[in-house]
Amino acid sequence: IETPENIDMEDDEGSVGAAAWRLSRELRELSLGCCGEIDRVHGPLPPLQFVRDFVMPGRPCIISNAIDHWPALHRWSNQYLCSVLEHQVVSVHFTPDGYGDAVVDVKRVSSLYDCAVSCDGYSERKGCWERGKGGVSDREESWDWEDGQGVDGDRLLEEETVRECVVENGITDGCRIASLLQDNKKWSNDERELWFATSHVERMPFPMALDFIVGSRSEEFGVAYAQQQNGCFLSEYSLLASDVEVHIPWATEAFGYMPEAVNLWIGNQKAVTSFHKDHYENLYAVVAGEKHFTLLPPTDVHRLYVKKYRSAHYQLAMDTGKFTIELDLPSRTIPWVSVDPNPLPADMLQARAEFPRYFEGPKPFVCTVKPGELLYLPSMWFHHVRQSPSSNGCTIALNFWYDMQFDIKYSYFNFLQSVLCEDS
């Protein structure tokens, strides 16, 4: 693998950037391979072989014949699921475009999906401040006065201008403040347009949830995805437990403990999981449909342009189907991967220019996990996930999170990220 030239790295062989490329290259040459393919093995694996060949070197693999005995593989039709879970309340995540827990272009989402934008309580659709959601009376105490400027999240105004507006007419003059904020904005292009947004979450009976995911309501309320995580399988879907295993026996023996969480995922082809990493050893089992993974090892963190983004969330009005994206209060930032590995064709040139270390570097590892297969994803590996539905219209998967070992490899990664990602 040749180190890419002229892609935002120092030419000096002694530079940190050059060292990062050598590290990435050596890992592929010594352990992972250079073709971008994931090993496929026939399971179930003996625990010792699993640890020796995959866990210790941190190598992902796809394991066949590991869950063929699960009744879920032939039972979990939409009709069966609705019958068993008829009265079970579950959590459903809604986004306008299928990208939850992701960096979003606020202007694009607003224009394409009629999504209102709310900056610290000001809604462009409502045209006013809302009391209790960052209204003037709530905001005055939260302003920090530094160097003669009022720091209000992502907007900077002269102190006298802001104070005059706050005290002049109280909450009734919110629109004037909003106008001043718009006229005097001093934010950068990234800060103005790119936020990290989480989904809107609604709890509802499972048959209704499935209707939002693949049924008659799937075109009216954005993209619905059952992806609650945090052990949702046993807390929300325990009635299905007899159809699967609540752990992977040979993996449990290999790690020496039960999984910390088992999660169920039910979505359609529009739902996408953005590039991220987890602090877990992940075993990902597909029951229906297919999951398409794009993977990069922790040593490639310099290629993913991890930056801090303002944290926001979607709100969905269930009576109208209209979305609002709101900045979180109190204001905070989230470090997140900037790269989308599958930009629209019209956006590809811009993406390649903006993220050359990703698009001009070594190929990522790409794999498709089919029904009955199990993906082992080592802790700290970055992964981006798309999906193709089965004939039932949805993709169904379970994943098992086993605690990772917070050992010297974890410390090395944190050091590497702190050196290479100045904004993380």
Side-chain angles (χ1 to χ4, degrees):
I1 302 174
E2 296 295 330
T3 300
E5 298 179 357
N6 301 321
I7 55 174
D8 197 28
M9 282 294 181
E10 297 286 346
D11 293 329
D12 183 4
E13 278 295 311
S15 71
V16 172
W21 283 113
R22 287 196 299 273
L23 179 64
S24 177
R25 180 179 66 246
E26 289 174 359
L27 179 65
R28 283 170 167 78
E29 292 174 348
L30 297 175
S31 177
L32 300 178
C34 303
C35 61
E37 296 181 358
I38 298 298
D39 288 344
R40 287 182 172 269
V41 296
H42 189 74
L45 290 178
L48 179 60
Q49 180 188 351
F50 178 53
V51 171
R52 182 192 63 209
D53 293 348
F54 300 104
V55 178
M56 293 298 292
R59 293 172 56 205
C61 65
I62 295 176
I63 306 158
S64 61
N65 197 43
I67 60 170
D68 286 352
H69 57 287
W70 286 7
L73 289 171
H74 57 82
R75 281 185 187 169
W76 282 9
S77 65
N78 293 353
Q79 182 179 3
Y80 175 83
L81 294 174
C82 287
S83 174
V84 174
L85 301 171
E86 180 179 7
H87 303 293
Q88 180 64 42
V89 175
V90 300
S91 303
V92 184
H93 293 236
F94 290 88
T95 59
D97 58 355
Y99 287 78
D101 295 349
V103 176
V104 300
D105 184 331
V106 179
K107 291 175 67 177
R108 172 177 285 186
V109 169
S110 176
S111 62
L112 289 181
Y113 303 100
D114 189 27
C115 178
V117 180
S118 178
C119 300
D120 300 336
Y122 178 78
S123 171
E124 291 182 356
R125 178 174 287 131
K126 295 180 180 179
C128 63
W129 295 104
E130 298 178 83
R131 187 180 297 275
K133 292 187 178 180
V136 176
S137 57
D138 300 319
R139 291 151 56 86
E140 183 176 9
E141 293 183 359
S142 69
W143 271 315
D144 297 319
W145 306 103
E146 300 174 352
D147 301 324
Q149 292 185 322
V151 181
D152 174 28
D154 51 357
R155 293 181 160 119
L156 304 180
L157 294 176
E158 294 299 326
E159 175 181 349
E160 291 301 319
T161 303
V162 176
R163 285 198 181 278
E164 176 186 352
C165 293
V166 170
V167 301
E168 185 173 347
N169 289 313
I171 189 69
T172 60
D173 201 32
C175 290
R176 179 181 174 189
I177 297 181
S179 175
L180 285 166
L181 290 171
Q182 185 69 20
D183 293 341
N184 289 277
K185 58 192 177 189
K186 301 178 182 177
W187 47 22
S188 74
N189 207 39
D190 280 349
E191 293 170 333
R192 174 166 52 90
E193 297 182 354
L194 300 178
W195 296 351
F196 173 82
T198 57
S199 310
H200 173 84
V201 183
E202 285 283 335
R203 289 179 56 78
M204 62 187 69
F206 178 81
M208 181 183 295
L210 195 61
D211 195 31
F212 278 109
I213 295 171
V214 298
S216 60
R217 305 186 189 187
S218 60
E219 298 296 330
E220 302 174 16
F221 291 83
V223 180
Y225 194 12
Q227 56 150 21
Q228 181 63 12
Q229 304 179 60
N230 298 322
C232 70
F233 181 68
L234 293 180
S235 62
E236 297 188 350
Y237 300 93
S238 60
L239 294 173
L240 298 172
S242 61
D243 294 338
V244 298
E245 293 171 308
V246 295
H247 72 124
I248 305 298
W250 47 268
T252 298
E253 183 177 348
F255 291 123
Y257 39 78
M258 294 286 286
E260 180 172 304
V262 183
N263 307 306
L264 182 68
W265 309 76
I266 304 178
N268 60 37
Q269 72 278 7
K270 296 179 181 178
V272 177
T273 301
S274 67
F275 250 133
H276 70 288
K277 68 181 188 300
D278 296 312
H279 295 89
Y280 291 101
E281 306 290 348
N282 193 353
L283 286 158
Y284 204 102
V286 174
V287 175
E290 297 180 346
K291 291 280 187 172
H292 311 289
F293 286 81
T294 302
L295 310 175
L296 281 178
T299 49
D300 281 22
V301 63
H302 62 288
R303 300 177 57 196
L304 291 171
Y305 298 83
V306 177
K307 299 179 181 179
K308 290 182 178 179
Y309 294 94
R310 285 175 171 76
S311 177
H313 60 277
Y314 287 111
Q315 289 284 354
L316 172 61
M318 298 303 293
D319 55 340
T320 65
K322 297 293 187 181
F323 281 91
T324 300
I325 184 170
E326 301 180 354
L327 285 171
D328 289 340
L329 292 176
S331 177
R332 64 192 182 111
T333 58
I334 300 291
W336 206 257
V337 172
S338 303
V339 176
D340 179 354
N342 305 112
L344 296 172
D347 298 331
M348 178 57 80
L349 286 178
Q350 179 181 345
R352 294 182 69 90
E354 190 173 359
F355 308 119
R357 293 198 297 269
Y358 178 83
F359 288 101
E360 297 182 22
K363 292 181 179 179
F365 296 86
V366 177
C367 64
T368 293
V369 187
K370 300 180 179 181
E373 294 182 334
L374 190 68
L375 170 68
Y376 167 58
L377 184 61
S379 57
M380 310 296 285
W381 270 66
F382 292 93
H383 49 291
H384 177 281
V385 192
R386 297 176 296 114
Q387 50 198 0
S388 299
S390 68
S391 58
N392 286 334
C394 60
T395 305
I396 306 175
L398 277 84
N399 81 301
F400 301 81
W401 274 342
Y402 289 85
D403 264 338
M404 67 172 287
Q405 295 295 317
F406 291 88
D407 53 15
I408 194 168
K409 289 191 292 185
Y410 173 75
S411 300
Y412 277 147
F413 172 78
N414 282 343
F415 171 74
L416 182 66
Q417 180 167 271
S418 68
V419 170
L420 296 176
C421 305
E422 61 181 2
D423 291 331
S424 61

